[in-house]
Amino acid sequence: MLKEIKQAVVDGDMDGVIKLTNEATSQGLGAQQILDEALMPAMDIVGEEYAKGDRYIPEMLLSATVMRGAVAVLKPLLVNAKVKARGKVVIGTVARDLHNIGKDLVAMMLEGAGFEVIDLGIDVTAGEFLKAAKEHSPHILAMSALLTTTMIYMPEVIDAIRGAGLRDQLKVIIGGAPVTQGYADKIGADGYAADAASAAKLAKSLV
Amino acid sequence: MFLVVGELINSGRSEIAQALKERNEVLIRRLARAQAEAGGHVIDLNAEQSMENEVRDLQWLIGVVEDELSEDVRLAIDTSNPVAMEAGLKACSTPPVINSISNEKTNAGLIELAAESGAEVIGLAMGEHGMPKTADDRVEETRTLLEKCDRVGLDHGRLYVDMVCMSVGSAPQQGTQVLQAVRRARQELGIKTLTAVSNVSFGLPNRRLLNRTFLAMLVEAGLDGTIMDPTDKAMMDTLYASRALVGLDNYCLQYIKKQKERGTR
């Protein structure tokens, strides 16, 4: 049953996943187990296939939507069982950068990996990142930039976080086309990931 | 005339960023010539990713490309930095196309520069309220941009408004919204439109197929120009074919000429 649910998410089969998830819960499978052993591994597969170039953006979006459908079925059970998110992530594309696709994919993979994700959108200033960090106390702050002209705003955000005395309370991870591990080291970020699947792995390793 | 702006000399492409660092004149000359010979009317020059060296790199590009091409091929200066734009305008021997102005507050100074120059200006239908999502957003952004142009005396006839194409890979309705915006900008505002077609296919396989199919639809909707790779033969052929099919190519002469050149019958 878990295997079938996993396959339905990978295949982007919404009707199938809803039906199977309902069946699984009525047969007594736990919501947490379905999440951990079917839904999240499905998103891992999808993310890895995307990273390899075997899967395209719309296919990934569909799988994420299907996964959300299954989570919606499980939600009442998860709430009852007081299942906690793996951690909280505040994510956004930095100031003056309007690129959303990569950031959205990372947000999706993080959700798929069990994180609560607060998406600040695009063109997010250092002040806005800081405000969200104060308001949500995330475990991780994730920044994306697609341009060399905008990735320079990443250290500004880190400075703002440090200035507010919050630097030790959260991990900073960054990514985007021009960003490298070297750049992450240079600006004092806690991690860099090259694609959405590795971003989710990185986030898991940091909490 | 349908304006073809060749997009290949852009520092956002790693090949070009490298060429700028190494002053690789051979590559720049080759790309400029290839785009012009393939039917590009305007060669776009972008050194924005050079950051603090943008002005210097842009001046170098202008020198190299002007030297390589005859005067009937024009240049476009592609930057959102008013300082670089001003330096670029000064470095060109004939007034270049200005790429681009928008409603973003950060590049407000560009509109004045554009008003003073005599050449075509590309304006982005975005910035007042961030990125446009719907056709309505694009038309409203264009209205705002036109008001700003009126304030500085920039003639609408020189303007091509870019309807900001986004990927159907992440937002499937974007294709339709751009097509509607092109139609409406023409009918309601009487202005010329242009777009960077290749954004439509980001994240999808066989991007060139999507790009040229969308171009055919855009031509039918009344698009006046595109920022594209003119060395993509199938794309250029689709452009000529589309224009012939909607009666924009008198007696289909341009289409016929191109097919003869290619030896296709």
Side-chain angles (χ1 to χ4, degrees):
Chain A
M1 184 69 88
L2 289 168
K3 213 170 157 188
E4 285 173 59
I5 295 176
K6 186 164 94 177
Q7 195 56 45
V9 173
V10 172
D11 294 343
D13 174 9
M14 181 65 96
D15 294 343
V17 96
I18 302 284
K19 185 169 152 277
L20 288 163
T21 308
N22 277 316
E23 276 173 32
T25 55
S26 62
Q27 282 178 25
L29 280 171
Q32 184 73 59
Q33 192 186 4
I34 297 172
L35 205 54
D36 290 345
E37 292 173 32
L39 303 180
M40 289 186 198
M43 288 310 287
D44 286 343
I45 295 174
V46 169
E48 273 158 32
E49 283 184 9
Y50 176 74
K52 273 191 289 179
D54 293 340
R55 190 171 270 265
Y56 293 95
I57 287 172
E59 296 175 294
M60 219 169 139
L61 293 174
L62 178 59
S63 286
T65 307
V66 168
M67 155 127 190
R68 282 197 203 106
V71 171
V73 171
L74 298 177
K75 197 117 201 189
L77 301 168
L78 290 168
V79 173
N80 279 342
K82 294 200 171 62
V83 173
K84 281 211 181 93
R86 191 190 287 271
K88 206 189 271 185
V89 183
V90 161
I91 189 169
T93 302
V94 297
R96 300 204 57 195
D97 198 319
L98 306 174
H99 294 89
N100 67 315
I101 297 177
K103 184 263 301 162
D104 288 352
L105 292 176
V106 172
M108 246 163 48
M109 288 304 295
L110 289 170
E111 269 182 15
F115 286 93
E116 180 188 349
V117 177
I118 296 136
D119 188 347
L120 304 180
I122 54 175
D123 191 11
V124 181
T125 62
E128 287 162 350
F129 271 114
L130 178 60
K131 185 166 165 268
K134 283 180 180 160
E135 192 180 325
H136 301 286
S137 312
H139 301 88
I140 294 174
L141 189 145
M143 289 186 273
S144 164
L146 208 89
L147 308 167
T148 52
T149 47
T150 57
M151 72 177 188
I152 51 170
Y153 295 108
M154 289 176 164
E156 278 186 16
V157 177
I158 295 179
D159 285 346
I161 299 288
R162 188 177 293 118
L166 297 173
R167 186 64 189 89
D168 298 335
Q169 291 164 37
L170 52 78
K171 303 284 185 189
V172 176
I173 62 173
I174 61 174
V179 180
T180 58
Q181 182 64 53
Y183 188 69
D185 296 341
K186 189 177 138 199
I187 67 169
D190 299 297
Y192 155 80
D195 57 72
S198 14
K201 270 197 203 120
L202 172 67
K204 281 193 243 175
S205 76
L206 288 174
V207 293
Chain B
M1 194 189 84
F2 188 94
L3 192 71
V4 175
V5 181
E7 68 187 0
L8 295 180
I9 305 181
N10 188 312
S11 57
R13 302 174 61 230
S14 52
E15 179 189 43
I16 302 301
Q18 190 72 15
L20 287 172
K21 272 196 198 111
E22 296 166 356
R23 290 286 181 264
N24 183 347
E25 215 174 281
V26 177
L27 177 83
I28 300 297
R29 283 179 184 275
R30 180 163 61 73
L31 285 178
R33 176 158 295 275
Q35 292 185 91
E37 284 177 354
H41 308 112
V42 176
I43 306 300
D44 191 63
L45 301 179
N46 173 309
E48 212 164 13
Q49 305 293 315
S50 300
M51 307 286 294
E52 65 275 13
N53 296 326
E54 183 184 4
V55 168
R56 216 184 57 198
D57 286 1
L58 190 58
Q59 286 166 333
W60 177 75
L61 280 178
I62 292 166
V64 171
V65 176
E66 276 198 344
D67 184 62
E68 178 68 23
L69 299 178
S70 68
E71 277 172 21
D72 56 336
V73 182
R74 312 215 341 272
L75 304 184
I77 307 301
D78 181 356
T79 180
S80 58
N81 170 3
V83 176
M85 184 61 80
E86 194 163 14
L89 289 172
K90 279 199 188 113
C92 287
S93 53
T94 44
V97 174
I98 289 183
N99 183 17
S100 55
I101 61 170
S102 77
N103 293 321
E104 287 167 286
K105 285 171 191 70
T106 45
N107 57 22
L110 287 171
I111 292 194
E112 277 87 27
L113 285 175
E116 286 162 25
S117 107
E120 290 97 328
V121 176
I122 296 172
L124 299 172
M126 59 173 273
E128 187 75 5
H129 305 283
M131 291 294 268
K133 293 192 180 72
T134 62
D136 276 343
D137 292 347
R138 289 173 170 87
V139 172
E140 278 319 302
E141 290 279 359
T142 304
R143 270 188 224 281
T144 308
L145 191 66
L146 292 176
E147 283 163 18
K148 287 182 183 169
C149 290
D150 289 343
R151 258 177 256 147
V152 295
L154 202 168
D155 172 21
H156 295 184
R158 280 169 50 206
L159 196 63
Y160 284 81
V161 182
D162 186 331
M163 286 299 145
V164 191
C165 201
M166 282 182 262
S167 174
V168 293
S170 61
Q173 294 309 316
Q174 282 302 312
T176 325
Q177 296 304 318
V178 170
L179 287 166
Q180 283 175 12
V182 166
R183 240 179 262 284
R184 287 183 51 192
R186 186 188 183 81
Q187 288 164 358
E188 296 171 26
L189 306 170
I191 51 136
K192 286 179 285 200
T193 58
L194 156 155
T195 202
V197 181
S198 60
N199 292 341
V200 82
S201 58
F202 181 81
L204 293 166
N206 199 355
R207 293 185 63 175
R208 290 182 166 209
L209 172 61
L210 289 167
N211 295 346
R212 63 179 182 262
T213 305
F214 194 45
L215 179 61
M217 297 175 178
L218 285 163
V219 166
E220 195 279 329
L223 194 76
D224 301 283
T226 150
I227 302 173
M228 62 175 265
D229 172 9
T231 69
D232 179 344
K233 275 198 185 119
M235 180 95 164
M236 286 301 282
D237 278 346
T238 300
L239 174 61
Y240 301 130
S242 312
R243 287 177 57 78
L245 287 167
V246 294
L248 291 169
D249 178 6
N250 221 358
Y251 292 92
C252 304
L253 287 183
Q254 193 181 35
Y255 175 77
I256 294 168
K257 180 167 165 258
K258 289 294 163 185
Q259 295 316 302
K260 282 184 178 165
E261 277 173 24
R262 303 226 197 278
T264 43
R265 52 173 63 246

